[in-house]
Coordinates of all heavy atoms in Angstrom, one line a residue:
P699 N -62.2 4.8 -46.1 CA -63.7 4.8 -46.1 C -64.3 4.8 -47.5 O -63.7 5.5 -48.4 CB -64.0 6.1 -45.3 CG -62.8 7.0 -45.5 CD -61.7 6.0 -45.6
E700 N -65.4 4.1 -47.7 CA -66.0 4.1 -49.0 C -67.5 4.5 -48.8 O -68.1 4.2 -47.8 CB -66.0 2.7 -49.6 CG -64.5 2.3 -50.0 CD -64.5 1.1 -50.8 OE1 -65.5 0.8 -51.6 OE2 -63.4 0.3 -50.8
L701 N -67.9 5.3 -49.8 CA -69.3 5.8 -49.8 C -70.0 5.4 -51.1 O -69.9 6.0 -52.1 CB -69.3 7.4 -49.7 CG -68.6 8.0 -48.5 CD1 -68.5 9.5 -48.7 CD2 -69.3 7.6 -47.2
P702 N -70.6 4.2 -51.1 CA -71.1 3.6 -52.3 C -72.1 4.5 -53.1 O -72.1 4.4 -54.4 CB -71.9 2.3 -51.8 CG -71.3 2.0 -50.5 CD -70.9 3.4 -49.9
D703 N -72.8 5.4 -52.5 CA -73.8 6.2 -53.2 C -73.2 7.6 -53.6 O -73.9 8.4 -54.1 CB -75.1 6.4 -52.4 CG -75.8 5.0 -52.1 OD1 -75.7 4.2 -53.0 OD2 -76.3 4.9 -51.1
H704 N -71.9 7.8 -53.3 CA -71.3 9.1 -53.5 C -71.2 9.4 -55.0 O -70.6 8.5 -55.7 CB -70.0 9.2 -52.8 CG -69.3 10.5 -53.0 ND1 -69.8 11.7 -52.6 CD2 -68.0 10.8 -53.4 CE1 -69.0 12.7 -52.9 NE2 -67.9 12.1 -53.4
R705 N -71.6 10.6 -55.4 CA -71.4 11.0 -56.8 C -70.9 12.4 -56.9 O -71.1 13.2 -56.0 CB -72.8 10.9 -57.6 CG -73.4 9.5 -57.6 CD -72.6 8.6 -58.6 NE -73.2 7.3 -58.6 CZ -72.9 6.2 -57.8 NH1 -72.0 6.4 -56.9 NH2 -73.5 5.1 -58.0
V706 N -70.2 12.7 -58.0 CA -69.8 14.1 -58.3 C -70.3 14.5 -59.6 O -70.5 13.7 -60.5 CB -68.2 14.2 -58.2 CG1 -67.8 13.9 -56.8 CG2 -67.6 13.3 -59.2
R707 N -70.4 15.8 -59.8 CA -70.8 16.3 -61.1 C -69.7 16.9 -62.0 O -69.7 16.7 -63.2 CB -71.9 17.5 -60.9 CG -73.2 17.0 -60.2 CD -74.1 18.2 -60.0 NE -74.5 18.8 -61.3 CZ -75.1 20.0 -61.4 NH1 -75.3 20.7 -60.3 NH2 -75.4 20.5 -62.6
F708 N -68.7 17.5 -61.4 CA -67.8 18.3 -62.2 C -66.3 17.9 -62.0 O -65.4 18.3 -62.8 CB -67.9 19.8 -61.9 CG -69.3 20.3 -62.0 CD1 -69.9 20.8 -60.9 CD2 -70.0 20.3 -63.2 CE1 -71.2 21.3 -60.9 CE2 -71.3 20.7 -63.3 CZ -71.9 21.3 -62.1
S709 N -66.0 17.0 -61.0 CA -64.6 16.7 -60.8 C -64.5 15.1 -60.7 O -65.0 14.5 -61.6 CB -64.1 17.3 -59.5 OG -64.9 16.9 -58.4
V710 N -63.8 14.6 -59.7 CA -63.6 13.2 -59.6 C -63.9 12.8 -58.1 O -63.8 13.6 -57.2 CB -62.2 12.8 -59.9 CG1 -61.9 13.0 -61.4 CG2 -61.2 13.5 -59.1
I711 N -64.3 11.5 -58.0 CA -64.5 11.0 -56.6 C -63.1 10.9 -56.0 O -62.2 10.3 -56.5 CB -65.2 9.6 -56.6 CG1 -66.6 9.7 -57.2 CG2 -65.2 9.0 -55.2 CD1 -67.2 8.4 -57.5
F712 N -63.0 11.5 -54.8 CA -61.6 11.6 -54.2 C -61.7 11.6 -52.7 O -62.5 12.3 -52.1 CB -60.9 12.9 -54.6 CG -59.5 13.0 -54.1 CD1 -58.5 12.2 -54.5 CD2 -59.3 13.9 -53.0 CE1 -57.2 12.4 -54.0 CE2 -58.0 14.0 -52.5 CZ -57.0 13.3 -53.0
C713 N -60.9 10.7 -52.1 CA -60.8 10.6 -50.6 C -59.4 11.0 -50.3 O -58.4 10.3 -50.8 CB -61.1 9.2 -50.1 SG -60.9 8.9 -48.4
P714 N -59.1 12.0 -49.4 CA -57.7 12.3 -49.1 C -57.0 11.2 -48.4 O -57.5 10.6 -47.5 CB -57.9 13.5 -48.1 CG -59.3 13.5 -47.6 CD -60.1 12.8 -48.7
E715 N -55.8 10.8 -48.9 CA -55.1 9.7 -48.4 C -54.7 9.9 -46.9 O -54.5 8.9 -46.2 CB -53.8 9.5 -49.3 CG -54.2 9.0 -50.7 CD -53.0 8.8 -51.5 OE1 -51.9 8.5 -51.0 OE2 -53.1 8.9 -52.8
S716 N -54.5 11.1 -46.5 CA -54.1 11.4 -45.1 C -55.1 10.9 -44.1 O -54.8 10.7 -42.9 CB -53.9 12.9 -44.9 OG -52.7 13.3 -45.6
I717 N -56.4 10.7 -44.5 CA -57.3 10.0 -43.6 C -56.7 8.7 -43.0 O -56.7 8.5 -41.8 CB -58.7 9.8 -44.2 CG1 -59.5 11.1 -44.4 CG2 -59.5 8.8 -43.4 CD1 -60.8 10.8 -45.1
V718 N -56.2 7.9 -43.9 CA -55.7 6.6 -43.5 C -54.3 6.7 -42.9 O -54.0 6.1 -41.9 CB -55.7 5.6 -44.7 CG1 -54.8 4.4 -44.5 CG2 -57.1 5.2 -45.1
W719 N -53.4 7.6 -43.5 CA -52.1 7.7 -42.9 C -52.2 8.2 -41.5 O -51.4 7.8 -40.6 CB -51.2 8.6 -43.8 CG -51.2 8.3 -45.2 CD1 -51.0 9.2 -46.2 CD2 -51.3 7.0 -45.9 NE1 -51.0 8.6 -47.5 CE2 -51.2 7.2 -47.3 CE3 -51.5 5.7 -45.4 CZ2 -51.3 6.2 -48.2 CZ3 -51.6 4.7 -46.4 CH2 -51.4 4.9 -47.7
N720 N -53.1 9.2 -41.2 CA -53.2 9.7 -39.9 C -53.7 8.6 -38.9 O -53.3 8.5 -37.8 CB -54.1 10.9 -39.9 CG -53.5 12.1 -40.5 OD1 -52.3 12.1 -40.8 ND2 -54.3 13.1 -40.8
R721 N -54.7 7.9 -39.3 CA -55.3 6.8 -38.5 C -54.2 5.8 -38.2 O -54.1 5.3 -37.0 CB -56.5 6.2 -39.1 CG -57.7 7.2 -39.2 CD -58.9 6.6 -40.0 NE -60.0 7.5 -40.0 CZ -61.2 7.3 -40.6 NH1 -61.3 6.1 -41.3 NH2 -62.1 8.2 -40.6
I722 N -53.4 5.4 -39.2 CA -52.4 4.5 -38.9 C -51.3 5.0 -37.9 O -50.9 4.4 -37.0 CB -51.7 4.1 -40.2 CG1 -52.6 3.2 -41.1 CG2 -50.4 3.3 -40.0 CD1 -52.1 2.9 -42.5
G723 N -51.0 6.3 -38.1 CA -50.0 7.0 -37.3 C -50.4 7.1 -35.8 O -49.5 7.1 -35.0
L724 N -51.7 7.0 -35.5 CA -52.1 7.0 -34.1 C -51.8 5.7 -33.4 O -51.8 5.6 -32.2 CB -53.6 7.3 -34.0 CG -54.0 8.8 -34.4 CD1 -55.5 8.9 -34.4 CD2 -53.4 9.8 -33.4
K725 N -51.5 4.7 -34.2 CA -51.2 3.3 -33.6 C -49.8 2.9 -33.9 O -49.2 2.2 -33.1 CB -52.2 2.3 -34.2 CG -52.0 0.9 -33.5 CD -53.1 0.0 -33.9 CE -52.9 -1.4 -33.3 NZ -54.0 -2.3 -33.7
Y726 N -49.3 3.2 -35.1 CA -48.0 2.6 -35.5 C -47.0 3.7 -36.0 O -47.4 4.6 -36.8 CB -48.1 1.7 -36.7 CG -49.0 0.5 -36.5 CD1 -50.3 0.4 -37.0 CD2 -48.5 -0.6 -35.8 CE1 -51.1 -0.7 -36.8 CE2 -49.2 -1.8 -35.6 CZ -50.5 -1.8 -36.1 OH -51.3 -2.9 -35.9
P727 N -45.8 3.7 -35.6 CA -44.7 4.6 -36.2 C -44.2 4.0 -37.5 O -44.4 2.8 -37.8 CB -43.7 4.6 -35.1 CG -43.8 3.3 -34.4 CD -45.2 2.9 -34.4
T728 N -43.5 4.8 -38.2 CA -42.9 4.5 -39.5 C -41.4 4.8 -39.5 O -41.0 5.8 -38.8 CB -43.6 5.2 -40.7 OG1 -44.9 4.7 -40.7 CG2 -42.9 4.9 -42.0
R729 N -40.6 4.1 -40.2 CA -39.2 4.5 -40.3 C -39.0 5.3 -41.6 O -39.4 4.8 -42.7 CB -38.3 3.3 -40.3 CG -36.8 3.6 -40.5 CD -35.9 2.5 -40.1 NE -35.9 2.3 -38.7 CZ -35.0 1.6 -38.0 NH1 -34.1 0.9 -38.7 NH2 -35.1 1.4 -36.7
F730 N -38.6 6.5 -41.5 CA -38.4 7.4 -42.7 C -36.9 7.5 -43.0 O -36.1 7.7 -42.1 CB -39.0 8.8 -42.4 CG -40.5 8.8 -42.3 CD1 -41.0 8.7 -41.0 CD2 -41.3 8.8 -43.4 CE1 -42.4 8.6 -40.8 CE2 -42.7 8.8 -43.2 CZ -43.3 8.7 -41.9
I731 N -36.5 7.4 -44.3 CA -35.1 7.5 -44.7 C -35.0 8.5 -45.9 O -35.9 8.6 -46.7 CB -34.6 6.1 -45.0 CG1 -35.4 5.5 -46.2 CG2 -34.5 5.2 -43.8 CD1 -34.7 4.2 -46.7
N732 N -33.8 9.1 -45.9 CA -33.5 10.1 -47.0 C -32.9 9.3 -48.2 O -31.8 9.5 -48.6 CB -32.6 11.2 -46.5 CG -33.3 12.1 -45.6 OD1 -34.4 12.5 -45.9 ND2 -32.7 12.5 -44.5
E733 N -33.7 8.5 -48.8 CA -33.3 7.8 -50.0 C -34.4 7.8 -51.1 O -35.6 7.6 -50.7 CB -33.0 6.3 -49.6 CG -32.3 5.5 -50.7 CD -31.7 4.2 -50.2 OE1 -31.4 4.1 -49.0 OE2 -31.7 3.3 -50.9
V734 N -34.0 8.1 -52.3 CA -35.0 8.3 -53.4 C -35.4 6.9 -53.9 O -34.6 6.1 -54.3 CB -34.5 9.1 -54.5 CG1 -35.4 9.1 -55.7 CG2 -34.2 10.5 -54.1
F735 N -36.7 6.6 -53.9 CA -37.3 5.3 -54.4 C -38.0 5.5 -55.7 O -38.1 4.5 -56.5 CB -38.2 4.7 -53.4 CG -37.6 4.2 -52.1 CD1 -38.2 4.3 -50.9 CD2 -36.4 3.6 -52.2 CE1 -37.7 3.8 -49.8 CE2 -35.8 3.1 -51.0 CZ -36.4 3.2 -49.8
A736 N -38.5 6.7 -56.0 CA -39.3 6.8 -57.2 C -39.3 8.3 -57.7 O -38.9 9.2 -57.0 CB -40.7 6.4 -56.9
I737 N -39.7 8.4 -59.0 CA -39.7 9.7 -59.7 C -41.2 10.1 -59.8 O -42.1 9.3 -60.2 CB -39.1 9.6 -61.1 CG1 -37.7 9.0 -61.0 CG2 -39.1 11.0 -61.7 CD1 -36.7 9.8 -60.2
K738 N -41.5 11.4 -59.5 CA -42.8 11.9 -59.4 C -43.1 12.8 -60.7 O -42.2 13.6 -61.0 CB -43.1 12.7 -58.2 CG -44.3 13.6 -58.1 CD -45.6 12.7 -58.2 CE -45.8 11.9 -57.0 NZ -47.1 11.2 -57.1
E739 N -44.2 12.7 -61.2 CA -44.7 13.6 -62.3 C -46.1 13.8 -62.2 O -46.9 12.9 -62.0 CB -44.4 13.0 -63.7 CG -44.7 13.9 -64.9 CD -44.4 13.2 -66.2 OE1 -43.2 13.4 -66.6 OE2 -45.3 12.6 -66.8
Y740 N -46.5 15.1 -62.2 CA -48.0 15.4 -62.1 C -48.5 15.7 -63.5 O -47.9 16.4 -64.3 CB -48.2 16.7 -61.2 CG -47.9 16.5 -59.8 CD1 -46.9 17.2 -59.1 CD2 -48.6 15.5 -59.1 CE1 -46.7 17.0 -57.7 CE2 -48.3 15.3 -57.7 CZ -47.4 16.0 -57.1 OH -47.1 15.8 -55.7
Q741 N -49.7 15.2 -63.8 CA -50.3 15.4 -65.1 C -51.2 16.6 -65.0 O -51.8 17.0 -64.0 CB -51.1 14.2 -65.5 CG -50.3 12.9 -65.6 CD -49.3 13.0 -66.7 OE1 -49.5 13.3 -67.8 NE2 -48.0 12.7 -66.3
S742 N -51.4 17.3 -66.2 CA -52.2 18.5 -66.2 C -53.7 18.2 -65.9 O -54.4 19.1 -65.5 CB -52.1 19.2 -67.6 OG -52.5 18.3 -68.6

């Protein structure tokens, strides 16, 4: 979902990704596997 007039003062514009993953999950299953595809790093 997009909100063209949405503004923030102190943080960032952010939409939780789970909105879409949950909506997809109500219609489609996914195959999950225990294999590493990528390396994660969080920035400060």
Side-chain angles (χ1 to χ4, degrees):
E700 295 192 23
L701 305 172
D703 298 326
H704 179 55
R705 298 289 182 270
V706 296
R707 294 179 64 193
F708 309 117
S709 61
V710 293
I711 298 172
F712 181 73
C713 174
E715 294 181 24
S716 289
I717 286 181
V718 165
W719 309 149
N720 291 349
R721 290 175 179 178
I722 290 174
L724 290 171
K725 183 173 181 180
Y726 298 104
T728 298
R729 178 163 292 190
F730 296 94
I731 59 171
N732 285 319
E733 190 166 332
V734 173
F735 289 144
I737 307 301
K738 168 63 68 177
E739 181 178 276
Y740 291 123
Q741 300 299 307
S742 60

